[in-house]
Amino acid sequence: MITVLDGMPQGILGFKASGKLTKADYTEVLQPALAAASAGGEKIRILLDFSDKFEGMEVKAMFQDLKTAIQEWKAWEKIALVTDHDWMEKGVELFSWAMPGEVKVFDDDETRDALTWLVGIDSYDDDDD
C-alpha cells in the first residue's frame, strides 16, 4: 500500500510504502498526484519512504512504476528515497543513470535530511510551515 504523507513543504510530494505495492497503488494514488503536480509545467520533487514494513512490489506494480516514470519523464527534478533496505540502495546505485531527475538515497532516520535536500536549503525545520 502507498499513502500520501501530510505536512510536506511547499512543492514537495511525499509518499510512504508499506506491505506489498500493487498496480492500483500507482494508478489510484501516485499517478494522480504526480499528474496534478506537473500539470502547470512544474517540476516534481518527491520523498518516497520505503522503510520499515515495505515488502516489495507485485509484478504489475513494477511495470506500472516504469510507465509512471516515463509518462512524467521531463517533469522529474529530485527523488529522495528514504529506506532501510540495502537492496533498494544498491538498486539506485546501479540504475541511477536510467532514472529521471536527480536521485538520492537516505537512511530511514534521515527524513529531515531528505526534505532539506529536496527543498534545496541548508536545513529544514517542519515547525516553520
Side-chain angles (χ1 to χ4, degrees):
M1 171 169 46
I2 195 159
T3 56
V4 176
L5 292 173
D6 294 325
M8 292 287 104
Q10 180 70 27
I12 306 295
L13 298 174
F15 299 92
K16 181 164 183 70
S18 61
K20 191 163 252 186
L21 292 186
T22 66
K23 180 180 178 180
D25 289 318
Y26 283 87
T27 59
E28 296 172 14
V29 179
L30 196 57
Q31 282 180 311
L34 294 173
S38 64
E42 297 296 317
K43 295 292 185 179
I44 296 172
R45 292 181 289 155
I46 188 169
L47 179 125
L48 299 170
D49 186 341
F50 280 66
S51 58
D52 196 28
K53 306 254 186 239
F54 175 65
E55 299 170 2
M57 302 168 76
E58 294 177 351
V59 173
K60 288 182 180 180
M62 287 186 234
F63 287 112
Q64 196 63 42
D65 182 62
L66 179 60
K67 183 178 175 182
T68 300
I70 291 170
Q71 284 175 332
E72 301 293 339
W73 191 266
K74 291 183 180 182
W76 293 101
E77 183 176 18
K78 288 184 172 183
I79 303 167
L81 174 64
V82 176
T83 187
D84 56 354
H85 300 284
D86 288 339
W87 65 269
M88 291 191 83
E89 184 172 354
K90 287 179 178 33
V92 169
E93 288 174 13
L94 286 172
F95 296 105
S96 63
W97 60 270
M99 294 179 180
E102 190 177 354
V103 182
K104 190 169 180 178
V105 178
F106 297 86
D107 289 332
D108 60 336
D109 61 349
E110 297 178 322
T111 301
R112 186 173 302 276
D113 294 336
L115 288 170
T116 298
W117 178 73
L118 285 169
V119 173
I121 58 175
D122 292 333
S123 69
Y124 172 71
D125 182 1
D126 56 6
D127 293 332
D128 291 341
D129 291 339

